[in-house]
Amino acid sequence: MDPHQSLSEAKAAALHHYTKSFQGFSAMITPEQASQLAEYESVLSVFESKMNKLHTTHSWDFLGLETISKNNPKALDTTSDVIVGVIDSGIWPESESFTDYGLGPVPKKFKGECVTGEKFTLANCNKKIIGARFYSKGFEAEVGPLEGVNKIFFRSARDGDGHGTHTASTIAGSIVANASLLGIAKGTARGGAPSARLAIYKACWFDFCGDADILSAMDDAIHDGVDILSLSLGPDPPEPIYFENAISVGAFHAFQKGVLVSASAGNSVFPRTACNVAPWILTVAASTIDREFSSNILLGNSKVLKGSSLNPIRMDHSYGLIYGSAAAAVGVSATIAGFCKNNTLDPTLIKGKIVICTIEKFSDDRRAKAIAIRQGGGVGMILIDHNAKDIGFQFVIPSTLIGQDAVEELQAYIKTDKNPTARIYPTITVVGTKPAPEMAAFSSIGPNIITPDIIKASLLSRLYPDITAPGVNILAAWSPVATEATVEQRSIDYNIISGTSMSCPHITAVAAIIKSHHPHWGPAAIMSSIMTTATVMDNTRRIIGRDPNGTQTTPFDYGSGHVNPVASLNPGLVYEFNSKDVLNFLCSNGASPAQLKNLTGALTQCQKPLTASSNFNYPSIGVSNLNGSSSVYRTVTYYGQGPTVYHASVENPSGVNVKVTLQN
């Protein structure tokens, strides 16, 4: 086939045209047509569009943000000129978190639009939500019409899922008193940068976000004039190489235009699963805060077991206990029944009882277990869940999660009592817990498998993430029509959820505050200020551990450490780098001219001699294959006031001696 014909056919089948911040289009074509297009001289690159997954207010108190306000009551008001673009599942504009009371006119630099659609009018934008767009062509081309999915949705920027509303309000939600999830975590809800403006780009539907739609959203956002882009989403591991990853490509163009991209590291638990790890993206892992949600168990022998859950339902008296494994349906093994999945339990055995269940694998749908028990006539669930016992889950019946200590007491009680009973108490909020933070059990871990000399730290999304921030049991605004979050058939306006999706907007908000204080700083300087001022200590003054058992962690877990918003405003020394430095770094890692063209959109040659990748001026230092001695170079820029003297201090890694010398 004539390549010219292939190009014309592809353009005719185009879903999105990218014309504002970079040039290109997405289309539904065959593999053969893709290969033919790649040979055409004017085509820079062709890569397959893939699906990405969407990865909660005490958290801001835990981060010490009130210190900024106390020292300067108007300090956070300076964020009113900062525009944050949120690529997610949309927004619920009627939420109190998005009122624009006290905000001035929309910044003149903003070129975006308020695109109307289903149940979304121009009146839904205001001086807080200054722009709203939505993208579905890529999703529908891969999955089919939105109407074919049996879930609530709006063909507009309105959020039927809740995820986008949650992340946006965590970043820039207005101050709302007495917010809670059905009385749990009651307090004042607020975003980290409550005066910042929001530009909403809905590219996610039913928890999935197509590459083609994400790229179109990034193209618009960069052109619209956002200062920061927040993406609480990413690909399943393993992450594609930078040059074939839509988020990496879009983020590079954002970086070139001075827009910082903050993205979640992922919730894949295991080492080498962090995503969004390109060095021009600020990758965020998740950690806990000093707050727990206890839903304890009163046994028939008057002993109380510690449990955790988001359980607002009151159980008026005690009920009999039964193991799921002892209530197997006909033809189901005891082991399988113990997992309490649909159609595995005998209703005649569990009716009117509290069922004790176990986890088969970390990704189990815990809520579905409670639904299965309710359908069989059960009245409650005790879930043995050693790894996720500190993560808040919502259930349709009184339910709670317990760890190893409680399990042993529970088993001992059941063995010694012929008619064991228990009662599950509603959740109480406990603040000031220690140790905190701890790395979240689900957060993706490094190292970076693509370029291991870059230490990106985060338990949720890199091969190292860059930084960690609160991402466990976070309260924020929600979409009241999101059916998954209804408890006792009551809709909710605020919800508590966990994930690197929740930690990412915390970092986005901190970046917005820094940008407001240092408006001329570029993405690299903001990244540096956040990373170099982070702490690796918890509130017991010990190295941050990993939830739930406090096991030892490393920079592969937390990157540079836990974010310190107050310190990040005045980092003193800053590590800066630009797009040219990025290209030199990629060249040193063997990038070909064709790969660089995929990323930049222009023919790019590597400059000789190559600079060692370990000398990329990143605000962390990583040497992937140290054999003997190695010299690593960094350049810092002083942004403080008045003359200052800095002294180098090094904690040598095990088996390594480090010496710091100054070169003028």
Side-chain angles (χ1 to χ4, degrees):
M1 181 183 292
D2 182 0
H4 290 76
Q5 184 180 349
S6 294
L7 182 59
S8 61
E9 288 180 355
K11 287 184 175 179
L15 302 172
H16 294 295
H17 289 276
Y18 312 127
T19 60
K20 298 173 180 176
S21 306
F22 41 88
Q23 302 297 313
F25 64 90
S26 59
M28 288 294 291
I29 58 176
T30 66
E32 180 186 11
Q33 288 172 319
S35 297
Q36 292 169 343
L37 280 178
E39 297 173 3
Y40 197 64
E41 288 186 4
S42 64
V43 176
L44 296 176
S45 64
V46 179
F47 55 87
E48 181 184 359
S49 175
K50 295 181 174 64
M51 278 293 175
N52 297 270
K53 288 185 179 179
L54 291 169
H55 286 162
T56 76
T57 14
H58 175 67
S59 58
W60 291 116
D61 295 334
F62 180 62
L63 293 177
L65 209 63
E66 78 280 357
T67 303
I68 298 176
S69 299
K70 286 179 180 178
N71 293 339
N72 182 358
K74 295 184 178 180
L76 298 183
D77 293 340
T78 60
T79 59
S80 62
D81 287 331
V82 178
I83 303 169
V84 179
V86 184
I87 300 178
D88 212 297
S89 65
I91 196 166
W92 193 262
E94 291 83 5
S95 170
E96 288 184 76
S97 289
F98 304 122
T99 59
D100 61 0
Y101 178 78
L103 291 176
V106 173
K108 293 181 179 179
K109 65 183 179 182
F110 187 64
K111 304 174 186 176
E113 300 177 28
C114 184
V115 178
T116 59
E118 183 181 1
K119 295 189 178 181
F120 200 97
T121 69
L122 292 176
N124 290 127
C125 290
N126 56 16
K127 290 180 286 186
K128 167 63 70 176
I129 305 171
I130 63 174
R133 302 177 186 265
F134 65 101
Y135 313 82
S136 64
K137 291 180 180 178
F139 180 90
E140 293 185 280
E142 294 189 49
V143 179
L146 298 174
E147 290 77 10
V149 182
N150 189 26
K151 289 186 178 181
I152 293 174
F153 75 93
F154 302 95
R155 197 176 280 277
S156 68
R158 181 173 291 278
D159 181 14
D161 173 274
H163 191 276
T165 299
H166 198 283
T167 57
S169 64
T170 301
I171 297 167
S174 302
I175 298 172
V176 180
N178 296 316
S180 71
L181 169 61
L182 302 175
I184 301 172
K186 190 172 185 179
T188 300
R190 50 161 297 175
S195 296
R197 316 304 179 108
L198 291 167
I200 303 301
Y201 302 88
K202 179 178 177 179
C204 303
W205 306 84
F206 317 117
D207 295 334
F208 290 95
C209 326
D211 275 352
D213 294 331
I214 294 172
L215 261 182
S216 190
M218 297 180 86
D219 184 32
D220 280 338
I222 298 166
H223 174 266
D224 289 347
V226 304
D227 297 294
I228 301 163
L229 265 174
S230 189
L231 285 78
S232 288
L233 52 92
D236 282 337
E239 182 176 30
I241 61 173
Y242 305 142
F243 318 103
E244 298 174 3
N245 182 337
I247 295 175
S248 294
V249 171
F252 179 80
H253 288 273
F255 182 86
Q256 283 186 308
K257 299 292 177 63
V259 178
L260 172 69
V261 176
S262 168
S264 53
N267 307 323
S268 296
V269 182
F270 300 108
R272 298 176 175 266
T273 59
C275 67
N276 298 320
V277 295
W280 50 91
I281 299 175
L282 185 55
T283 310
V284 189
S287 43
T288 65
I289 60 175
D290 63 338
R291 178 179 65 188
E292 295 179 354
F293 298 112
S294 297
S295 180
N296 296 332
I297 304 163
L298 175 64
L299 298 179
N301 60 4
S302 298
K303 285 189 176 182
V304 176
L305 305 184
K306 181 181 179 181
S308 63
S309 175
L310 301 175
N311 171 38
I313 310 170
R314 184 170 298 279
M315 188 175 270
D316 293 328
H317 56 85
S318 296
Y319 293 88
L321 288 167
I322 187 170
Y323 286 110
S325 57
V330 176
V332 177
S333 71
T335 300
I336 296 299
F339 301 136
C340 299
K341 295 190 175 181
N342 193 33
N343 297 323
T344 64
L345 299 172
D346 186 338
T348 61
L349 296 176
I350 67 171
K351 186 176 180 180
K353 293 186 177 180
I354 297 172
V355 184
I356 303 167
C357 308
T358 58
I359 288 292
E360 182 179 15
K361 54 184 182 298
F362 190 86
S363 59
D364 271 9
D365 186 339
R366 293 157 177 82
R367 180 181 171 86
K369 297 178 188 292
I371 293 174
I373 291 170
R374 184 180 68 172
Q375 289 173 343
V379 297
M381 177 178 72
I382 296 173
L383 182 59
I384 300 172
D385 193 344
H386 304 298
N387 291 319
K389 65 182 180 64
D390 294 326
I391 301 170
F393 294 96
Q394 298 174 45
F395 303 97
V396 295
I397 54 176
S399 304
T400 190
L401 278 63
I402 61 173
Q404 188 60 43
D405 292 344
V407 168
E408 293 174 1
E409 281 207 53
L410 178 63
Q411 291 173 336
Y413 165 62
I414 293 176
K415 283 181 180 179
T416 57
D417 196 302
K418 292 182 179 180
N419 298 295
T421 61
R423 178 181 177 185
I424 301 172
Y425 286 124
T427 296
I428 58 171
T429 305
V430 181
V431 178
T433 59
K434 294 180 179 181
E438 288 186 296
M439 294 309 300
F442 53 78
S443 192
S444 295
I445 305 174
N448 185 332
I449 55 172
I450 303 175
T451 47
D453 283 338
I454 294 295
I455 296 182
K456 285 198 164 263
S458 155
L459 286 183
L460 295 170
S461 94
R462 290 239 174 137
L463 281 182
Y464 300 53
D466 288 312
I467 193 78
T468 188
V472 178
N473 298 336
I474 305 299
L475 177 76
W478 196 250
S479 169
V481 301
T483 53
E484 288 81 359
T486 56
V487 179
E488 291 186 304
Q489 308 305 312
R490 289 183 282 176
S491 66
I492 56 177
D493 298 314
Y494 287 83
N495 197 13
I496 297 171
I497 56 177
S498 301
T500 45
S501 281
M502 286 60 259
S503 57
C504 170
H506 279 85
I507 294 300
T508 303
V510 174
I513 297 170
I514 296 170
K515 184 70 174 179
S516 71
H517 283 253
H518 304 282
H520 301 297
W521 279 14
I526 297 174
M527 290 171 65
S528 174
S529 65
I530 291 174
M531 293 171 64
T532 60
T533 56
T535 178
V536 298
M537 310 297 287
D538 63 23
N539 58 2
T540 68
R541 302 190 67 79
R542 295 178 180 174
I543 298 293
I544 295 170
R546 188 172 178 96
D547 190 59
N549 301 315
T551 52
Q552 186 175 356
T553 59
T554 72
F556 291 123
D557 297 291
Y558 50 69
S560 297
H562 190 258
V563 65
N564 184 337
V566 178
S568 69
L569 290 179
N570 296 291
L573 300 178
V574 168
Y575 298 78
E576 297 196 83
F577 59 91
N578 54 34
S579 55
K580 181 180 177 182
D581 298 320
V582 169
L583 294 177
N584 288 338
F585 166 75
L586 295 174
C587 287
S588 69
N589 278 280
S592 68
Q595 288 177 321
L596 295 177
K597 188 174 71 169
N598 286 2
L599 186 70
T600 65
L603 187 61
T604 304
Q605 297 291 338
C606 291
Q607 295 184 353
K608 300 295 178 69
L610 294 175
T611 303
S613 61
S614 58
N615 291 335
F616 177 48
N617 208 46
Y618 206 71
S620 67
I621 295 175
V623 181
S624 58
N625 294 298
L626 180 61
N627 185 11
S629 63
S630 177
S631 295
V632 177
Y633 297 89
R634 289 294 186 272
T635 300
V636 293
T637 303
Y638 174 57
Y639 278 105
Q641 297 178 350
T644 303
V645 176
Y646 285 87
H647 297 279
S649 176
V650 177
E651 292 184 13
N652 293 319
S654 178
V656 179
N657 291 319
V658 181
K659 180 182 179 182
V660 179
T661 58
L662 177 65
Q663 292 186 344
N664 292 322

